Amino acid sequence: MTVSHRRDISEAEYDRYGVIAGKFLTLQERRAFQFLERSSSELKSILSAYVNIENLGGSFRKINWRQAGALLMERLATWLAATRLYLESERDFMMSAFGEGSAQFLSFKKSMSGAFDAHEGYRFLYNLRDYTQHCGIPSSGITVSSGSNGQRLTCLHLNRSELLSARFKWSRHAKSLLQGWPEKIEIIPLMDDAMAGYLEIERNTLRMLIEDCAAVIEEIRGSDYEDVEPGANLAAFKIPTSSSGGDFSLHPFPTLQALQAIESAVRAEDPVSHIFSRATPPPDMVPTVRQANRRAEAVLSSFINPQEPDQVVKVINGIIDDDGDVTPLISGLVNTSAQLTYALSMLLGLHRFPCWVPSHPRVNRGRPELSIGQVLTELPRIRLSPVAVRVGSVGPCSTPISLK
C-alpha cells in the first residue's frame, strides 16, 4: 500500500480509534448470522436436489433414504448449532459492548422474547437444539404425496411419537406444540418460521449498531476527511521503532460515503432498511432455459446417492423420452458446467486454467488453454442438431453416451 502521513497521534488516540473502527466493523461483518442463514439454505438445497430426482428422474423411490435422511439431519444439526452460536455470541457482545443493564442489552433480550412468543417454529426448534445435545440427532422420514394439481409433494419430517418417548424433558412450550401436532412433523416450514424470528432479532441488533456508529462519527469526521483523494482511505497506524518494538498495525476508518449513509439512516424511520436490503432474486429465466437447466440438475442430482448401476442411465433416458430431443439436456449440462467451472476458478483465484472442449473446432482450435471468459464467449456459438440418443448401461464412475 501507499501511505501518506498526515499527523502524529498519541497511543491513547490510537486505542480510541481502534474502538471506533471496531464499531463499524461489527456493523459490516455479521458472520454468525450469515452462518445461520447459510446452514438453513444448505439443508433446503440438499432436499431440493433429492426432490428434483422425483420430479424429473423417475428413480427417486430407489434412493437409500436411510443414508439420505442421515445427511439431511446432519445439516439440521448444523443449523441448530448455528442458532445457539448466533444467540450466545450476540448476547456476549451486547453485554461486553454496552453492559448488562444497558438499554441495548435489554432491547436484545426483548427481541429474543418477541421471536419466541411470535414464532412456534422458533419455540420448538429452540428446544430441539437441546434435544440433539442430550439424545442425539433425531431420525427423519420423507413423505411423498400428490397435490391437487397432480404434482408430487415431498416433505422432510420428524416422528412425533419418537420425540415424545425419548428420555428428554421437553419445555412446557415445546411439549404443548408436540401434543397438538400430527405424527409427521414437517421440518422446513418450522425452520422458515424460526428464521423469520432470528431475522427480527438481527434487524433489531443492526438498528442498535447503526445508532452506536452514528454516535461516534463526530470523533473521526474532522478536517482529515476533507482532503481525502478519491479511492484513498483514512487509517490510524502504529509503526514500531527500534526502541519500542512491536508489530505494525492499523485501524482503517469508514469512507466518507459510509459515514453519510449512516447519518442518513439514523434519521430514517427504518434505519436498517435504509442501509441493508435483502438479496433480490435474479430475473426469471425464459422457460426453455429453465427447462434445460432443470434437466441438467436432475442428472447431476442422480449422482448423489446411486443405489443401482444404471440409475443415471434411467434418469437420462427418461428425460430424453419426455422431451423427445436431447438438445434441452445437453444445453442445460453445458450451462451448468460453465457456471460450476467459473465458480471454481473464482474460488481458486485462477485467471487461466486448462480447459478442453473436444469435437468442436471453433472452441478448441488446437489451443491447450482457454480462459473462462473465452470459454463463456465461445459456448453460445455451439449449435446442436436434434439427434436420437440412447445411453448404454454404465458403472458408477463412467457414463459413455452412444449416439444413434
Side-chain angles (χ1 to χ4, degrees):
M1 69 181 74
T2 301
V3 178
S4 175
H5 174 263
R6 286 186 173 271
R7 61 184 177 89
D8 294 331
I9 60 175
S10 66
E11 184 106 14
E13 284 180 290
Y14 178 82
D15 292 340
R16 177 56 183 166
Y17 285 146
V19 173
I20 295 174
K23 294 178 182 292
F24 292 96
L25 188 63
T26 301
L27 176 62
Q28 180 182 354
E29 296 187 359
R30 308 298 301 157
R31 295 180 180 178
F33 187 74
Q34 290 168 355
F35 174 46
L36 179 61
E37 284 193 313
R38 186 167 59 250
S39 300
S40 171
S41 298
E42 286 177 354
L43 171 59
K44 292 193 286 187
S45 295
I46 294 175
L47 179 61
S48 295
Y50 284 117
V51 171
N52 199 33
I53 300 174
E54 168 70 7
N55 292 336
L56 297 173
S59 302
F60 177 86
R61 295 180 182 277
K62 296 183 180 180
I63 290 176
N64 185 332
W65 281 109
R66 186 173 182 178
Q67 295 180 9
L71 174 62
L72 291 165
M73 297 310 290
E74 286 173 4
R75 292 298 181 271
L76 177 64
T78 300
W79 178 82
L80 291 171
T83 64
R84 184 177 183 85
L85 170 66
Y86 172 69
L87 292 178
E88 291 296 324
S89 62
E90 290 302 308
R91 176 181 177 275
D92 290 347
F93 166 76
M94 285 291 174
M95 290 182 63
S96 175
F98 302 107
E100 190 170 357
S102 65
Q104 291 89 343
F105 183 72
L106 295 177
S107 179
F108 175 73
K109 291 180 62 177
K110 184 178 179 180
S111 68
M112 287 198 301
S113 298
F116 188 92
D117 295 338
H119 300 278
E120 64 178 22
Y122 184 102
R123 291 197 297 276
F124 172 68
L125 294 175
Y126 187 96
N127 206 195
L128 185 65
R129 179 193 65 201
D130 299 330
Y131 175 96
T132 60
Q133 293 178 335
H134 296 280
C135 301
I137 301 175
S139 59
S140 65
I142 301 292
T143 302
V144 181
S145 59
S146 297
S148 57
N149 58 355
Q151 182 183 9
R152 289 291 180 89
L153 302 177
T154 308
C155 301
L156 176 67
H157 68 263
L158 301 172
N159 297 317
R160 181 175 69 97
S161 56
E162 176 189 338
L163 297 176
L164 288 173
S165 62
R167 296 187 61 183
F168 177 74
K169 186 177 181 180
W170 291 95
S171 70
R172 174 175 57 87
H173 305 282
K175 191 169 185 179
S176 175
L177 292 172
L178 280 171
Q179 291 173 338
W181 281 343
E183 173 61 21
K184 296 179 178 179
I185 304 169
E186 290 189 42
I187 296 176
I188 300 302
L190 290 174
M191 176 184 287
D192 289 340
D193 185 53
M195 284 302 300
Y198 286 109
L199 180 58
E200 292 170 6
I201 297 172
E202 176 69 1
R203 286 182 64 87
N204 183 62
T205 301
L206 289 173
R207 177 187 58 78
M208 291 186 288
L209 294 179
I210 291 172
E211 294 173 350
D212 192 37
C213 288
V216 298
I217 286 180
E218 290 304 319
E219 291 189 55
I220 60 173
R221 189 171 176 178
S223 59
D224 290 327
Y225 269 95
E226 297 176 1
D227 302 325
V228 176
E229 299 176 358
N233 203 58
L234 287 174
F237 290 85
K238 178 182 284 188
I239 303 175
T241 63
S242 57
S243 58
S244 64
D247 297 323
F248 174 86
S249 59
L250 76 157
H251 297 308
F253 289 3
T255 64
L256 179 60
Q257 293 76 13
L259 298 184
Q260 292 170 340
I262 291 175
E263 288 176 326
S264 177
V266 79
R267 295 190 298 266
E269 182 177 353
D270 184 359
V272 177
S273 297
H274 193 85
I275 292 184
F276 296 92
S277 61
R278 302 295 293 169
T280 55
D284 197 13
M285 294 178 289
V286 296
T288 54
V289 175
R290 184 167 59 249
Q291 179 194 19
N293 288 351
R294 292 189 67 198
R295 265 47 180 160
E297 291 166 3
V299 172
L300 296 177
S301 298
S302 65
F303 279 100
I304 292 178
N305 192 13
Q307 294 303 303
E308 52 183 326
D310 59 347
Q311 177 176 314
V312 179
V313 174
K314 291 182 179 179
V315 172
I316 296 175
N317 287 336
I319 291 173
I320 296 173
D321 289 340
D322 288 342
D323 293 341
D325 183 8
V326 71
T327 304
L329 175 58
I330 299 298
S331 298
L333 288 172
V334 169
N335 291 339
T336 303
S337 298
Q339 294 170 13
L340 293 175
T341 303
Y342 178 76
L344 179 60
S345 70
M346 295 299 100
L347 178 65
L348 298 177
L350 301 177
H351 299 289
R352 299 180 66 86
F353 55 94
C355 179
W356 294 271
V357 184
S359 71
H360 195 276
R362 175 172 288 182
V363 174
N364 204 24
R365 295 178 182 170
R367 293 175 296 189
E369 284 190 341
L370 288 173
S371 70
I372 186 62
Q374 290 171 315
V375 173
L376 296 179
T377 300
E378 297 284 358
L379 281 176
R381 303 183 186 182
I382 298 177
R383 295 293 181 267
L384 297 172
S385 300
V387 292
V389 177
R390 181 57 60 182
V391 182
S393 179
V394 299
C397 298
S398 62
T399 55
I401 299 178
S402 59
L403 302 181
K404 295 182 181 179

